Each structure stands twice: as structure tokens, then as C-alpha cells.
Amino acid sequence: MQLPYSEPYRIKMVEPIYKSTMEQRKQWIKEAHYNLFNLKSDQVYIDLLTDSGTGAMSDRQWAEIMLGDESYAGSRSFQKLEAAVKDITGYRFFIPTHQGRAAENVLFSAMVKEGDIIPGNSHFDTTKGHIEFRKGTAIDCTIDEAFDTDLYHPFKGNIDLKKLKKVFDENPIEKIPFAVLTVTCNTAGGQPVSMQNIKEVSALCKSYGVPLYFDAARYAENCYFIKEREAAYKDKSIKDIAAELFSYGDGMTMSAKKDGLVNMGGFIALNDEEVYRTAITFNIMYEGFITYGGMSGRAMGALAVGLYEALDYDYLASRITQVQYLGEKMAEFGVPVQKPIGGHAVYLDANKFVPTIPREEYRAQALAVELYIVAGVRGVEIGTILADRDPVTRENRYPELELVRLAIPRRTYTHNHMEYLAAALHRIYDTRNEAKNGYRIVWEAPIMRHFTVKLEKIE
Ligand SMILES: *Cc1c(COP(=O)(O)O)cnc(C)c1O
């Protein structure tokens, strides 16, 4: 008999979180204009806004904090991190940055020009932002199966090779500075890319002379899915799988706030010496000297340890099983969730959950607010408010899916928290037909409105 999963760590320090009353929460969310970004963290019981930089560090990482060498140049902490990155990725050059988007900013400053085209699976929003800021175009070549939430496919992050080839064939190849593979694919719901697909994408890119870069924020979680779902990798270690994955590319950007298991940090690793030379100049301008790039020595030391901890099979199994457990438990209660459950979050399907609330009244936001009021849980709307207005007509853009994302921080919440979350959703689901009214916007910013929007409840 197989024993159930359990965490490969025990707790040596706790951070109290406040269990407020429903009356308090009704007051607080009203004062926050029904925008969950406006809440103080003390007003939240379980915070699932993001899994980025919100995880717990280990005792060994905290020990590195004490060992941090804060020398401006050539610190021991930098050397530790550089050795870890080169050992894990196999790339020749390493550039530290303060977080993932900073790595994109530095690398793309060296590689992306006006009119360039960067194909990939669904680009993350900061990646796309940094491409479009430079007047380039990001082209999404993800397989069609990824967009059907009811369909099971083990690797919904895969690239459709025909779509990619079409981009290569129909554009001047010198306009394509590189292709980008996001592992796991955040935008598609934390869905993994198979090694088979990575290998084929790499071969196609090589045949056209186009470099391939990874957006590697959740590469360790991707490698876990490869081990679990791709027969040839069943007996390989996560570290070996990661080494093979990186060997098919020319470089990577990393948000260490995800699979680096730290609260802040990022880096670039790559093989091309010319790109490296150009990029370090931008790094010095934007981030800091090349041996710290916006990170303190202690932060680099903690990251060097975190990178290895994130490759531990038992850690990954407990992390991903926890997310799957939450998703499956909710599905058992009938709660509509996006399938298959990805690596880092559960997505509630608000179109199926609260069809009684009109779309013009922001039904996914209404569901996220209800979850906060009932249970003190903070998720995030990925629906009409986030989709913003059409830049020309200024009308609301209605995306195909209205989702509430519940992102699970790493090593932070217990199994009982998952039970609590599932029970809270169960309760809301049972009373869903009573939900008739949503919200109206009373103030919004001209761009990126979701962070600061003010809403009013429609009575
Ligand atoms: C988080 C993330 C980024 C950006 O990283 P930050 O550390 O938040 O700046 C880029 N790509 C992916 C896939 C991410 O998940």
C-alpha cells in the first residue's frame, strides 16, 4: 500500500495569522472599495494572492542570511550563487538581477529591437510587456488543447510546432532574435511542457538558427511533471531532468521568487558570450554591479541554497500534491475548477460558478470578494477587470474565461488550511444561486486598472 504524501519538513518557527470575524471583513472590504489589493495583510487569514516571493525559507537558507557577504564586488555569496546556477543549468554565463522582470529587462535590452517577433508558448504578462515596450510582438504558439478547460492533456504548456514553423516561415528570420518557452506556462494555468516538446522545439529553432530561451520561473515544478507524466523520465532525478531541459536551450531568465524559494531575487543564465557582454552593461545601469545585480549578499546566499531545495523530489511531490489535493477536493464538492490542476494554483471558473451574476457586474471579482467575506481568503480575479478596456473603443473587454486564481505559497500553509479552503468554497457553492448582484466601477486608472480600481456593490 502506498502511504499518503506528507511534508518532508517540520515547523520550527510560526507566524501567527489573525482569524477575523465576518462582520469585520465586511467592513474592511467595503473600506477597501471591494478591491482585494487594497486590504492590509493583517485583514487576511489565508493569503492566496500569489505564490511569488510568499513562500517559507528553510533553516539552511536562514543560516545563509547570517553568512551573507555584503562586499560590493566578488562576494562569497555571489560565488556560491554563481556555482549553483552553473551547476544546475549548465550555462556558461550568469547575471544576477533583483527579480524576474528585471532579468527580462536586461536581457531584452540586449536582444530585442523595434519590429522584432518573439514566438513562444503563452508569454507571461511582464515578458510580453517588456517585448511590447520595445515595439516587438509576442506570438502565442501554444497548442489548441490548452484553451479547453474541460479537456485533459498532460502537457497543456506545449508549443504547436506547426504554428511555430509558420512564424519562422512567414517572417524574415533576422526579425526573430529568439523564441521563449515558459516552464511551467503560468498564463495557461501552471501547465507543464513535455521534454519531447522541448526537444522538438529546440530542433526546429536550431534548423532556422533561432536561439531558444526559457522563462524558467517554475522549471523545477515542470521537471516534476515530466518525471510523473513522461515514461522515459520515471527513474531520472529532478536535477538530471533539469540539466537535460536546459541543454536544449541557449539561456534563461528566472524569477527566483518562484522555484528559487526566496522572497526576492532573479537572474539570467546563458551561453552566448556576445549577448552576455552586451547584457552586463545594461545590468550595471539598471540593477547594480555584475556580482550583485540588485540582490544583497545574504539574499544571493539564500537563493543558492533554495535552488537546490526546489529540486528535491519529496519537496516537489508535497508541494504539487497539496495544490492537486485542494483542486480535487473542490471538484468533489461540485465546485467548477479549471482542469487539469496546474502546479502552483487552483482556478475557479466563475462563468460556471456564478452565472446568475451578469458579466457586466464582474462576476469573478464578486466571487473573489465573497470568498474573502465568508472565509478571510484572498485570491485574485483573472477576468474582465484584469482584461481592462479596449484601448480604442474604451469598452470593457470580456475574456473567454472569468477566473479566480488561488495561488498556493510554497511550504507555507498546512493540510488543514487546504481542508478549510475546500469547505469554505463548498459553502459558497451551496448558496451560489442567491448571488444576483455584482459590482460597478466607481473609479479606475487608465491602464492596469485591477491594482487600484474602486468598486461599489450593486444593491
Ligand atoms: C513571476 C514571473 C515572471 C516575473 O518575475 P518577477 O519576479 O515577478 O518580476 C516572469 N515569468 C514568469 C513565468 C513568472 O511566473
Side-chain angles (χ1 to χ4, degrees), residues 7-13 15 51 54-62 221 258-263 302-303 305-312 314-316 318-320 322-323 408-414 417-418:
E7 291 74 13
Y9 50 83
R10 57 184 176 185
I11 297 164
K12 124 151 86 184
M13 187 192 282
E15 177 184 3
D51 66 323
T54 51
M57 293 208 298
S58 68
D59 53 355
R60 282 160 223 194
Q61 289 180 284
W62 281 105
E221 293 173 6
K258 289 36 171 275
D259 282 352
L261 294 176
V262 291
N263 303 115
L303 174 53
V305 173
L307 284 171
Y308 285 109
E309 291 183 353
L311 292 173
D312 176 57
D314 288 333
Y315 152 71
L316 283 167
S318 85
R319 150 96 178 136
I320 289 173
Q322 186 182 46
V323 177
I408 312 297
R410 295 167 180 78
R411 305 193 291 204
T412 302
Y413 293 111
T414 67
H417 288 118
M418 299 303 119

Side-chain angles (χ1 to χ4, degrees), residues 91 107 212-215 246 248-253 268-271:
Y91 293 130
L107 185 69
L212 176 65
Y213 280 76
F214 292 101
D215 179 351
F246 289 125
Y248 295 125
D250 300 277
M252 64 187 287
T253 55
I268 301 165
L270 76 173
N271 281 336

Side-chain angles (χ1 to χ4, degrees), residues 99-101 104 124 126 182 186 215 217-218 255 257-258:
Q99 63 184 89
R101 69 198 69 186
E104 292 164 356
F124 184 65
T126 61
T182 306
N186 190 347
D215 179 351
R218 296 182 183 77
S255 168
K257 303 169 73 172
K258 289 36 171 275

Side-chain angles (χ1 to χ4, degrees), residues 190-265:
Q191 301 295 332
V193 183
S194 72
M195 193 70 91
Q196 181 68 30
N197 190 248
I198 293 168
K199 219 187 283 188
E200 288 167 358
V201 167
S202 171
L204 186 65
C205 286
K206 276 206 180 79
S207 72
Y208 281 83
V210 173
L212 176 65
Y213 280 76
F214 292 101
D215 179 351
R218 296 182 183 77
Y219 78 95
E221 293 173 6
N222 200 102
C223 291
Y224 173 84
F225 282 115
I226 288 173
K227 185 174 165 78
E228 293 301 297
R229 295 181 183 170
E230 229 172 327
Y233 295 89
K234 187 161 72 66
D235 298 321
K236 294 217 159 96
S237 73
I238 300 288
K239 187 164 181 286
D240 287 346
I241 295 171
E244 182 177 338
L245 180 151
F246 289 125
S247 77
Y248 295 125
D250 300 277
M252 64 187 287
T253 55
M254 177 77 186
S255 168
K257 303 169 73 172
K258 289 36 171 275
D259 282 352
L261 294 176
V262 291
N263 303 115
M264 191 55 74

Side-chain angles (χ1 to χ4, degrees), residues 278-353:
T278 316
I280 53 178
T281 307
F282 288 107
N283 206 53
I284 291 169
M285 285 200 297
Y286 295 146
E287 293 294 295
F289 186 59
I290 54 172
T291 64
Y292 72 87
M295 275 190 278
S296 58
R298 52 187 175 270
M300 288 190 284
L303 174 53
V305 173
L307 284 171
Y308 285 109
E309 291 183 353
L311 292 173
D312 176 57
Y313 178 80
D314 288 333
Y315 152 71
L316 283 167
S318 85
R319 150 96 178 136
I320 289 173
T321 312
Q322 186 182 46
V323 177
Q324 313 274 309
Y325 177 83
L326 176 64
E328 277 157 23
K329 189 96 189 170
M330 286 181 186
E332 225 172 82
F333 293 146
V335 175
V337 294
Q338 200 182 8
K339 284 181 212 120
I341 311 295
H344 68 286
V346 176
Y347 293 73
L348 307 174
D349 185 339
N351 284 337
K352 293 188 184 140
F353 201 124

Side-chain angles (χ1 to χ4, degrees), residues 66-105:
M66 297 307 295
L67 294 173
D69 173 0
E70 305 302 340
S71 303
Y72 190 93
S75 73
R76 286 186 300 279
S77 305
F78 169 78
Q79 292 170 54
K80 274 184 204 167
L81 179 56
E82 182 180 45
V85 170
K86 289 185 176 174
D87 174 42
I88 291 168
T89 68
Y91 293 130
R92 292 168 63 209
F93 301 104
F94 158 68
I95 306 172
T97 63
H98 81 275
Q99 63 184 89
R101 69 198 69 186
E104 292 164 356
N105 188 31

